[in-house]
């Protein structure tokens, strides 16, 4: 069973409580998601470090229960 957008968002928020998250179902199947995550926690991190932080929040579900996640990260202005 695919992960819902709200479930993905909840896991990210548990790790990054200050984050603003925009979820988009890319294929309409609940299995291919795009997430734009904006968090002050990303300040001073490389893009790779930011993405690792978000993927870590997903607790190993990426590539299994969560088939695909297009990720964009940003530091708030």
């Amino acid at each position: 069973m695919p992960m819902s957008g709200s479930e993905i968002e909840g896991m990210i928020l548990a790790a990054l409580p200050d984050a603003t998250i925009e979820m988009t179902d890319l294929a309409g199947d609940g299995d291919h998601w795009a997430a734009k995550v904006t968090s002050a926690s990303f300040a001073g991190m490389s893009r790779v470090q930011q993405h690792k932080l978000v993927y870590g929040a997903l607790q190993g579900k990426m590539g299994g229960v969560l088939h695909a996640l297009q990720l964009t990260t940003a530091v708030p202005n």
Side-chain angles (χ1 to χ4, degrees), residues 18-77:
D18 74 312
T20 301
I21 304 166
E22 298 173 33
M23 297 295 301
T24 305
D25 185 348
L26 295 174
D29 60 3
D31 207 25
H32 297 81
W33 291 98
K36 180 177 180 185
V37 182
T38 304
S39 173
S41 300
F42 296 145
M45 292 183 174
S46 70
R47 186 83 51 198
V48 170
Q49 291 170 319
Q50 294 172 13
H51 286 211
K52 283 184 176 182
L53 187 61
V54 174
Y55 288 133
L58 298 173
Q59 303 171 2
K61 296 186 188 284
M62 188 66 220
V65 177
L66 177 56
H67 177 71
L69 179 66
Q70 177 184 318
L71 185 58
T72 304
T73 55
V75 176
N77 294 330

